[in-house]
Amino acid sequence: MAIVGQRYAYRERARMLGEPVVPVIVVKEGPPRSRKVRIRHLDGEYEGFEEWVPKSRLVAPWEEVNAFCDDERRLLNAVKASGDVQGSIIYKAAEEVFGAIAELFGEELIFFGWKAIEQNLIIIKDFEKSVHKLGLGREELLSEPHAFIDRYGDYKAPFHVSERVVKDFCKRFPKEILRYIQLEENKLRQKAISASTLYEQEFAEEWLVKQKPVFALVREWCGEKALAEFNEVAELRKEIRRLQALIEATARWLKDAGHPVKASLLLKELRRATNCSEYEES
């Protein structure tokens, strides 16, 4: 939102990060649909000249210009150090871990950038608060080459930092992360089974194949011991569900055979044993 009478940093090609900016002042607001403002140049060869320009060219308030330019410079260095890794197996695996962490903490505190230029960067929102909540090493993160905290308080760093961070998460929260990717994998399998069209089924199956090495890498990060324990617990839960279904079927048989009291007592014992409060006595 541009404010009449306020000075801004103006850049003709707004999306060309690193290009020079010049000071201008907004002298008039254009019609809402135009998304334009009338500006007056305050310096350089166009000093005093007025023109209508898109609001998007006003890249920052002029009083923030130094911090704005510093952020752009550091951002470009971080992007250059990252390379193009988006879509790789390790990138997707890190995304899965970030998804699990967001679910675990109830909010998205750490992720890859949403803007096109930042998609290869790891970002920690509101760094000073989030780094403590996530249990990460503040000084270690800040010591990473090309890492920085921008003027909004968000931490940004090249992609290689994410590998160390997600491995740390996998070491500290293996059960939660393994459970998360197991659920994600099960969702894809279910989509492949329940797809209403052949196209949807083939798409789901293809996506499941593509995600297989991604899930495998996350499991590798969690470690063999954690994975074995998780699988053991999963098998135990599966057996418990089988036994629950068997007892429920027995209770229904008892009720149908004219023994409703015995059926009710059996279901009550089942609830007590499994600490479950909802069973259908039908």
Side-chain angles (χ1 to χ4, degrees):
M1 178 178 177
I3 302 174
V4 174
Q6 184 166 322
R7 295 186 304 162
Y8 290 90
Y10 172 82
R11 178 184 286 150
E12 188 168 353
R13 297 191 297 175
R15 295 183 180 181
M16 296 302 292
L17 276 64
E19 286 196 352
V21 296
V22 296
V24 299
I25 189 170
V26 175
V27 297
K28 189 175 182 180
E29 185 85 16
R33 290 188 177 182
S34 72
R35 298 183 180 179
K36 289 188 176 183
V37 290
R38 189 170 182 82
I39 62 168
R40 181 187 305 126
H41 290 262
L42 300 177
D43 196 10
E45 59 180 320
Y46 294 107
E47 184 177 355
F49 175 70
E50 293 187 6
E51 62 176 327
W52 289 98
V53 300
K55 293 180 182 180
S56 60
R57 295 183 186 178
L58 307 179
V59 293
W62 185 251
E63 60 267 23
E64 298 178 13
V65 68
N66 289 333
F68 171 79
C69 291
D70 283 345
D71 278 354
E72 280 198 342
R73 175 183 53 79
R74 294 182 294 183
L75 176 63
L76 290 171
N77 288 335
V79 169
K80 184 178 180 181
S82 286
D84 186 11
V85 293
Q86 187 187 18
S88 64
I89 291 175
I90 189 172
Y91 184 97
K92 291 180 179 179
E95 277 189 315
E96 292 293 334
V97 175
F98 289 156
I101 294 301
E103 185 176 278
L104 177 61
F105 285 90
E107 56 183 325
E108 197 171 24
L109 302 174
I110 184 168
F111 45 84
F112 290 123
W114 299 321
K115 297 178 182 178
I117 194 169
E118 296 179 346
Q119 288 177 342
N120 291 301
L121 301 185
I122 178 176
I123 297 178
I124 302 177
K125 184 179 178 181
D126 195 358
F127 179 73
E128 295 299 344
K129 291 183 179 179
S130 297
V131 71
H132 176 71
K133 186 172 183 178
L134 294 169
L136 298 173
R138 179 184 183 279
E139 299 304 324
E140 189 175 6
L141 286 170
L142 291 175
S143 68
E144 293 284 353
H146 305 298
F148 68 100
I149 300 176
D150 69 13
R151 65 190 188 281
Y152 300 114
D154 296 338
Y155 173 89
K156 299 179 180 181
F159 174 79
H160 74 269
V161 178
S162 66
E163 185 174 1
R164 182 178 61 78
V165 171
V166 296
K167 286 181 177 179
D168 175 66
F169 283 144
C170 288
K171 182 179 179 181
R172 290 190 289 132
F173 309 111
K175 290 187 295 184
E176 293 82 358
I177 292 171
L178 288 170
R179 179 179 178 275
Y180 178 86
I181 63 168
Q182 186 65 58
L183 290 173
E184 290 295 299
E185 196 170 31
N186 290 343
K187 287 177 186 177
L188 289 176
R189 289 200 180 99
Q190 187 59 39
K191 284 182 180 180
I193 295 171
S194 61
S196 57
T197 67
L198 180 60
Y199 172 78
E200 291 177 347
Q201 179 183 349
E202 290 178 346
F203 180 82
E205 290 174 348
E206 182 181 351
W207 188 247
L208 185 59
V209 170
K210 288 181 179 179
Q211 287 295 99
K212 186 176 180 179
V214 174
F215 296 140
L217 182 55
V218 176
R219 290 183 173 110
E220 180 183 323
W221 286 339
C222 289
E224 291 184 5
K225 181 179 179 181
L227 180 58
E229 291 176 353
F230 177 84
N231 289 336
E232 184 178 346
V233 172
E235 286 300 316
L236 180 59
R237 286 174 177 165
K238 184 178 178 180
E239 179 63 15
I240 289 173
R241 287 194 294 269
R242 188 186 72 81
L243 292 174
Q244 287 174 350
L246 181 60
I247 293 171
E248 288 173 338
T250 302
R252 286 194 294 271
W253 179 84
L254 284 171
K255 186 176 182 180
D256 293 341
H259 304 286
V261 176
K262 290 183 178 180
S264 180
L265 288 173
L266 185 61
L267 288 175
K268 285 180 181 178
E269 286 299 320
L270 179 60
R271 292 191 194 99
R272 187 178 300 131
T274 58
N275 195 28
C276 181
S277 61
E278 292 184 5
Y279 275 90
E280 291 295 328
E281 296 185 23
S282 58

PDB file of all heavy atoms in Angstrom, residues 240-265:
ATOM      1  N   ILE A 240      -3.337 -55.748  17.675  1.00  0.00           N
ATOM      2  CA  ILE A 240      -4.349 -55.319  18.640  1.00  0.00           C
ATOM      3  C   ILE A 240      -5.665 -55.021  17.943  1.00  0.00           C
ATOM      4  O   ILE A 240      -6.741 -55.415  18.414  1.00  0.00           O
ATOM      5  CB  ILE A 240      -3.857 -54.077  19.425  1.00  0.00           C
ATOM      6  CG1 ILE A 240      -2.729 -54.480  20.385  1.00  0.00           C
ATOM      7  CG2 ILE A 240      -5.003 -53.440  20.200  1.00  0.00           C
ATOM      8  CD1 ILE A 240      -2.059 -53.316  21.071  1.00  0.00           C
ATOM      9  N   ARG A 241      -5.591 -54.344  16.792  1.00  0.00           N
ATOM     10  CA  ARG A 241      -6.815 -54.050  16.039  1.00  0.00           C
ATOM     11  C   ARG A 241      -7.500 -55.330  15.570  1.00  0.00           C
ATOM     12  O   ARG A 241      -8.725 -55.429  15.557  1.00  0.00           O
ATOM     13  CB  ARG A 241      -6.496 -53.138  14.853  1.00  0.00           C
ATOM     14  CG  ARG A 241      -6.185 -51.692  15.236  1.00  0.00           C
ATOM     15  CD  ARG A 241      -6.207 -50.776  14.034  1.00  0.00           C
ATOM     16  NE  ARG A 241      -5.145 -51.083  13.100  1.00  0.00           N
ATOM     17  CZ  ARG A 241      -3.938 -50.521  13.134  1.00  0.00           C
ATOM     18  NH1 ARG A 241      -3.653 -49.629  14.086  1.00  0.00           N
ATOM     19  NH2 ARG A 241      -3.020 -50.845  12.254  1.00  0.00           N
ATOM     20  N   ARG A 242      -6.692 -56.323  15.179  1.00  0.00           N
ATOM     21  CA  ARG A 242      -7.257 -57.606  14.742  1.00  0.00           C
ATOM     22  C   ARG A 242      -7.989 -58.286  15.901  1.00  0.00           C
ATOM     23  O   ARG A 242      -9.106 -58.800  15.735  1.00  0.00           O
ATOM     24  CB  ARG A 242      -6.147 -58.514  14.215  1.00  0.00           C
ATOM     25  CG  ARG A 242      -6.664 -59.804  13.569  1.00  0.00           C
ATOM     26  CD  ARG A 242      -5.503 -60.718  13.208  1.00  0.00           C
ATOM     27  NE  ARG A 242      -4.902 -61.298  14.408  1.00  0.00           N
ATOM     28  CZ  ARG A 242      -5.390 -62.363  15.063  1.00  0.00           C
ATOM     29  NH1 ARG A 242      -6.511 -62.945  14.643  1.00  0.00           N
ATOM     30  NH2 ARG A 242      -4.785 -62.841  16.124  1.00  0.00           N
ATOM     31  N   LEU A 243      -7.364 -58.270  17.084  1.00  0.00           N
ATOM     32  CA  LEU A 243      -7.980 -58.888  18.251  1.00  0.00           C
ATOM     33  C   LEU A 243      -9.242 -58.132  18.687  1.00  0.00           C
ATOM     34  O   LEU A 243     -10.227 -58.744  19.111  1.00  0.00           O
ATOM     35  CB  LEU A 243      -6.975 -58.947  19.400  1.00  0.00           C
ATOM     36  CG  LEU A 243      -5.793 -59.907  19.196  1.00  0.00           C
ATOM     37  CD1 LEU A 243      -4.788 -59.766  20.331  1.00  0.00           C
ATOM     38  CD2 LEU A 243      -6.279 -61.346  19.084  1.00  0.00           C
ATOM     39  N   GLN A 244      -9.185 -56.795  18.568  1.00  0.00           N
ATOM     40  CA  GLN A 244     -10.370 -55.998  18.899  1.00  0.00           C
ATOM     41  C   GLN A 244     -11.547 -56.369  18.000  1.00  0.00           C
ATOM     42  O   GLN A 244     -12.677 -56.533  18.469  1.00  0.00           O
ATOM     43  CB  GLN A 244     -10.057 -54.507  18.759  1.00  0.00           C
ATOM     44  CG  GLN A 244      -9.168 -53.950  19.862  1.00  0.00           C
ATOM     45  CD  GLN A 244      -8.773 -52.515  19.599  1.00  0.00           C
ATOM     46  OE1 GLN A 244      -9.000 -51.987  18.505  1.00  0.00           O
ATOM     47  NE2 GLN A 244      -8.195 -51.868  20.587  1.00  0.00           N
ATOM     48  N   ALA A 245     -11.251 -56.496  16.712  1.00  0.00           N
ATOM     49  CA  ALA A 245     -12.307 -56.850  15.763  1.00  0.00           C
ATOM     50  C   ALA A 245     -12.860 -58.241  16.073  1.00  0.00           C
ATOM     51  O   ALA A 245     -14.073 -58.483  15.974  1.00  0.00           O
ATOM     52  CB  ALA A 245     -11.758 -56.805  14.329  1.00  0.00           C
ATOM     53  N   LEU A 246     -11.971 -59.164  16.466  1.00  0.00           N
ATOM     54  CA  LEU A 246     -12.393 -60.522  16.794  1.00  0.00           C
ATOM     55  C   LEU A 246     -13.297 -60.528  18.034  1.00  0.00           C
ATOM     56  O   LEU A 246     -14.335 -61.208  18.064  1.00  0.00           O
ATOM     57  CB  LEU A 246     -11.157 -61.394  17.041  1.00  0.00           C
ATOM     58  CG  LEU A 246     -11.417 -62.860  17.384  1.00  0.00           C
ATOM     59  CD1 LEU A 246     -12.167 -63.551  16.249  1.00  0.00           C
ATOM     60  CD2 LEU A 246     -10.102 -63.586  17.664  1.00  0.00           C
ATOM     61  N   ILE A 247     -12.912 -59.747  19.059  1.00  0.00           N
ATOM     62  CA  ILE A 247     -13.726 -59.681  20.282  1.00  0.00           C
ATOM     63  C   ILE A 247     -15.076 -59.025  20.004  1.00  0.00           C
ATOM     64  O   ILE A 247     -16.113 -59.462  20.512  1.00  0.00           O
ATOM     65  CB  ILE A 247     -12.963 -58.906  21.381  1.00  0.00           C
ATOM     66  CG1 ILE A 247     -11.721 -59.704  21.811  1.00  0.00           C
ATOM     67  CG2 ILE A 247     -13.861 -58.635  22.586  1.00  0.00           C
ATOM     68  CD1 ILE A 247     -10.783 -58.955  22.727  1.00  0.00           C
ATOM     69  N   GLU A 248     -15.084 -57.978  19.188  1.00  0.00           N
ATOM     70  CA  GLU A 248     -16.343 -57.313  18.839  1.00  0.00           C
ATOM     71  C   GLU A 248     -17.266 -58.269  18.083  1.00  0.00           C
ATOM     72  O   GLU A 248     -18.485 -58.287  18.315  1.00  0.00           O
ATOM     73  CB  GLU A 248     -16.063 -56.063  18.002  1.00  0.00           C
ATOM     74  CG  GLU A 248     -15.448 -54.925  18.800  1.00  0.00           C
ATOM     75  CD  GLU A 248     -15.035 -53.771  17.921  1.00  0.00           C
ATOM     76  OE1 GLU A 248     -14.835 -53.983  16.701  1.00  0.00           O
ATOM     77  OE2 GLU A 248     -14.916 -52.662  18.436  1.00  0.00           O
ATOM     78  N   ALA A 249     -16.673 -59.059  17.170  1.00  0.00           N
ATOM     79  CA  ALA A 249     -17.471 -60.030  16.426  1.00  0.00           C
ATOM     80  C   ALA A 249     -18.050 -61.091  17.371  1.00  0.00           C
ATOM     81  O   ALA A 249     -19.206 -61.520  17.231  1.00  0.00           O
ATOM     82  CB  ALA A 249     -16.614 -60.694  15.348  1.00  0.00           C
ATOM     83  N   THR A 250     -17.251 -61.505  18.349  1.00  0.00           N
ATOM     84  CA  THR A 250     -17.717 -62.482  19.336  1.00  0.00           C
ATOM     85  C   THR A 250     -18.867 -61.921  20.165  1.00  0.00           C
ATOM     86  O   THR A 250     -19.847 -62.619  20.466  1.00  0.00           O
ATOM     87  CB  THR A 250     -16.556 -62.899  20.261  1.00  0.00           C
ATOM     88  OG1 THR A 250     -15.488 -63.443  19.471  1.00  0.00           O
ATOM     89  CG2 THR A 250     -17.009 -63.932  21.278  1.00  0.00           C
ATOM     90  N   ALA A 251     -18.739 -60.613  20.541  1.00  0.00           N
ATOM     91  CA  ALA A 251     -19.789 -59.970  21.319  1.00  0.00           C
ATOM     92  C   ALA A 251     -21.083 -59.896  20.527  1.00  0.00           C
ATOM     93  O   ALA A 251     -22.177 -60.126  21.083  1.00  0.00           O
ATOM     94  CB  ALA A 251     -19.339 -58.573  21.747  1.00  0.00           C
ATOM     95  N   ARG A 252     -20.980 -59.603  19.237  1.00  0.00           N
ATOM     96  CA  ARG A 252     -22.183 -59.557  18.408  1.00  0.00           C
ATOM     97  C   ARG A 252     -22.832 -60.934  18.312  1.00  0.00           C
ATOM     98  O   ARG A 252     -24.062 -61.071  18.331  1.00  0.00           O
ATOM     99  CB  ARG A 252     -21.838 -59.009  17.012  1.00  0.00           C
ATOM    100  CG  ARG A 252     -21.581 -57.503  16.974  1.00  0.00           C
ATOM    101  CD  ARG A 252     -21.587 -56.985  15.544  1.00  0.00           C
ATOM    102  NE  ARG A 252     -20.474 -57.523  14.777  1.00  0.00           N
ATOM    103  CZ  ARG A 252     -19.275 -56.953  14.708  1.00  0.00           C
ATOM    104  NH1 ARG A 252     -19.040 -55.829  15.361  1.00  0.00           N
ATOM    105  NH2 ARG A 252     -18.324 -57.506  13.974  1.00  0.00           N
ATOM    106  N   TRP A 253     -21.983 -61.949  18.198  1.00  0.00           N
ATOM    107  CA  TRP A 253     -22.503 -63.327  18.120  1.00  0.00           C
ATOM    108  C   TRP A 253     -23.229 -63.705  19.416  1.00  0.00           C
ATOM    109  O   TRP A 253     -24.298 -64.309  19.391  1.00  0.00           O
ATOM    110  CB  TRP A 253     -21.351 -64.290  17.855  1.00  0.00           C
ATOM    111  CG  TRP A 253     -21.787 -65.729  17.792  1.00  0.00           C
ATOM    112  CD1 TRP A 253     -22.301 -66.390  16.725  1.00  0.00           C
ATOM    113  CD2 TRP A 253     -21.777 -66.660  18.884  1.00  0.00           C
ATOM    114  NE1 TRP A 253     -22.602 -67.682  17.055  1.00  0.00           N
ATOM    115  CE2 TRP A 253     -22.291 -67.886  18.382  1.00  0.00           C
ATOM    116  CE3 TRP A 253     -21.368 -66.594  20.211  1.00  0.00           C
ATOM    117  CZ2 TRP A 253     -22.411 -69.019  19.169  1.00  0.00           C
ATOM    118  CZ3 TRP A 253     -21.481 -67.724  20.993  1.00  0.00           C
ATOM    119  CH2 TRP A 253     -22.013 -68.916  20.481  1.00  0.00           C
ATOM    120  N   LEU A 254     -22.632 -63.327  20.551  1.00  0.00           N
ATOM    121  CA  LEU A 254     -23.262 -63.611  21.842  1.00  0.00           C
ATOM    122  C   LEU A 254     -24.616 -62.910  21.953  1.00  0.00           C
ATOM    123  O   LEU A 254     -25.600 -63.498  22.425  1.00  0.00           O
ATOM    124  CB  LEU A 254     -22.352 -63.153  22.983  1.00  0.00           C
ATOM    125  CG  LEU A 254     -21.147 -64.043  23.296  1.00  0.00           C
ATOM    126  CD1 LEU A 254     -20.218 -63.357  24.288  1.00  0.00           C
ATOM    127  CD2 LEU A 254     -21.611 -65.397  23.846  1.00  0.00           C
ATOM    128  N   LYS A 255     -24.679 -61.663  21.521  1.00  0.00           N
ATOM    129  CA  LYS A 255     -25.940 -60.915  21.586  1.00  0.00           C
ATOM    130  C   LYS A 255     -27.002 -61.545  20.697  1.00  0.00           C
ATOM    131  O   LYS A 255     -28.162 -61.705  21.110  1.00  0.00           O
ATOM    132  CB  LYS A 255     -25.689 -59.459  21.178  1.00  0.00           C
ATOM    133  CG  LYS A 255     -26.897 -58.555  21.349  1.00  0.00           C
ATOM    134  CD  LYS A 255     -26.548 -57.118  21.024  1.00  0.00           C
ATOM    135  CE  LYS A 255     -27.751 -56.211  21.239  1.00  0.00           C
ATOM    136  NZ  LYS A 255     -27.443 -54.799  20.932  1.00  0.00           N
ATOM    137  N   ASP A 256     -26.583 -61.913  19.476  1.00  0.00           N
ATOM    138  CA  ASP A 256     -27.532 -62.541  18.536  1.00  0.00           C
ATOM    139  C   ASP A 256     -27.981 -63.912  19.034  1.00  0.00           C
ATOM    140  O   ASP A 256     -29.090 -64.379  18.702  1.00  0.00           O
ATOM    141  CB  ASP A 256     -26.901 -62.669  17.150  1.00  0.00           C
ATOM    142  CG  ASP A 256     -26.657 -61.322  16.503  1.00  0.00           C
ATOM    143  OD1 ASP A 256     -27.291 -60.332  16.948  1.00  0.00           O
ATOM    144  OD2 ASP A 256     -25.839 -61.239  15.560  1.00  0.00           O
ATOM    145  N   ALA A 257     -27.127 -64.569  19.828  1.00  0.00           N
ATOM    146  CA  ALA A 257     -27.443 -65.904  20.344  1.00  0.00           C
ATOM    147  C   ALA A 257     -28.281 -65.845  21.617  1.00  0.00           C
ATOM    148  O   ALA A 257     -28.544 -66.887  22.239  1.00  0.00           O
ATOM    149  CB  ALA A 257     -26.166 -66.692  20.585  1.00  0.00           C
ATOM    150  N   GLY A 258     -28.645 -64.626  22.018  1.00  0.00           N
ATOM    151  CA  GLY A 258     -29.498 -64.500  23.196  1.00  0.00           C
ATOM    152  C   GLY A 258     -28.752 -64.277  24.488  1.00  0.00           C
ATOM    153  O   GLY A 258     -29.288 -64.557  25.572  1.00  0.00           O
ATOM    154  N   HIS A 259     -27.534 -63.787  24.421  1.00  0.00           N
ATOM    155  CA  HIS A 259     -26.751 -63.522  25.632  1.00  0.00           C
ATOM    156  C   HIS A 259     -26.292 -62.062  25.653  1.00  0.00           C
ATOM    157  O   HIS A 259     -25.083 -61.767  25.637  1.00  0.00           O
ATOM    158  CB  HIS A 259     -25.530 -64.448  25.697  1.00  0.00           C
ATOM    159  CG  HIS A 259     -25.859 -65.902  25.625  1.00  0.00           C
ATOM    160  ND1 HIS A 259     -26.420 -66.588  26.687  1.00  0.00           N
ATOM    161  CD2 HIS A 259     -25.744 -66.794  24.607  1.00  0.00           C
ATOM    162  CE1 HIS A 259     -26.607 -67.846  26.350  1.00  0.00           C
ATOM    163  NE2 HIS A 259     -26.211 -67.998  25.069  1.00  0.00           N
ATOM    164  N   PRO A 260     -27.221 -61.101  25.676  1.00  0.00           N
ATOM    165  CA  PRO A 260     -26.857 -59.675  25.628  1.00  0.00           C
ATOM    166  C   PRO A 260     -26.024 -59.221  26.821  1.00  0.00           C
ATOM    167  O   PRO A 260     -25.176 -58.339  26.672  1.00  0.00           O
ATOM    168  CB  PRO A 260     -28.217 -58.972  25.600  1.00  0.00           C
ATOM    169  CG  PRO A 260     -29.168 -59.943  26.222  1.00  0.00           C
ATOM    170  CD  PRO A 260     -28.682 -61.303  25.807  1.00  0.00           C
ATOM    171  N   VAL A 261     -26.270 -59.789  27.982  1.00  0.00           N
ATOM    172  CA  VAL A 261     -25.508 -59.374  29.166  1.00  0.00           C
ATOM    173  C   VAL A 261     -24.038 -59.758  29.013  1.00  0.00           C
ATOM    174  O   VAL A 261     -23.132 -58.961  29.291  1.00  0.00           O
ATOM    175  CB  VAL A 261     -26.106 -60.006  30.441  1.00  0.00           C
ATOM    176  CG1 VAL A 261     -25.240 -59.654  31.661  1.00  0.00           C
ATOM    177  CG2 VAL A 261     -27.537 -59.525  30.656  1.00  0.00           C
ATOM    178  N   LYS A 262     -23.811 -60.995  28.582  1.00  0.00           N
ATOM    179  CA  LYS A 262     -22.419 -61.431  28.362  1.00  0.00           C
ATOM    180  C   LYS A 262     -21.743 -60.593  27.284  1.00  0.00           C
ATOM    181  O   LYS A 262     -20.568 -60.250  27.402  1.00  0.00           O
ATOM    182  CB  LYS A 262     -22.407 -62.906  27.978  1.00  0.00           C
ATOM    183  CG  LYS A 262     -22.789 -63.858  29.113  1.00  0.00           C
ATOM    184  CD  LYS A 262     -22.673 -65.299  28.663  1.00  0.00           C
ATOM    185  CE  LYS A 262     -23.019 -66.248  29.815  1.00  0.00           C
ATOM    186  NZ  LYS A 262     -22.925 -67.673  29.399  1.00  0.00           N
ATOM    187  N   ALA A 263     -22.512 -60.262  26.240  1.00  0.00           N
ATOM    188  CA  ALA A 263     -21.958 -59.435  25.161  1.00  0.00           C
ATOM    189  C   ALA A 263     -21.565 -58.064  25.688  1.00  0.00           C
ATOM    190  O   ALA A 263     -20.486 -57.532  25.370  1.00  0.00           O
ATOM    191  CB  ALA A 263     -22.974 -59.299  24.028  1.00  0.00           C
ATOM    192  N   SER A 264     -22.425 -57.490  26.520  1.00  0.00           N
ATOM    193  CA  SER A 264     -22.149 -56.172  27.083  1.00  0.00           C
ATOM    194  C   SER A 264     -20.940 -56.191  28.002  1.00  0.00           C
ATOM    195  O   SER A 264     -20.083 -55.303  27.961  1.00  0.00           O
ATOM    196  CB  SER A 264     -23.381 -55.671  27.855  1.00  0.00           C
ATOM    197  OG  SER A 264     -23.131 -54.400  28.410  1.00  0.00           O
ATOM    198  N   LEU A 265     -20.843 -57.222  28.825  1.00  0.00           N
ATOM    199  CA  LEU A 265     -19.691 -57.347  29.732  1.00  0.00           C
ATOM    200  C   LEU A 265     -18.388 -57.507  28.955  1.00  0.00           C
ATOM    201  O   LEU A 265     -17.352 -56.943  29.325  1.00  0.00           O
ATOM    202  CB  LEU A 265     -19.896 -58.543  30.669  1.00  0.00           C
ATOM    203  CG  LEU A 265     -20.960 -58.374  31.753  1.00  0.00           C
ATOM    204  CD1 LEU A 265     -21.179 -59.692  32.494  1.00  0.00           C
ATOM    205  CD2 LEU A 265     -20.552 -57.270  32.731  1.00  0.00           C
TER     206      LEU A 265
END
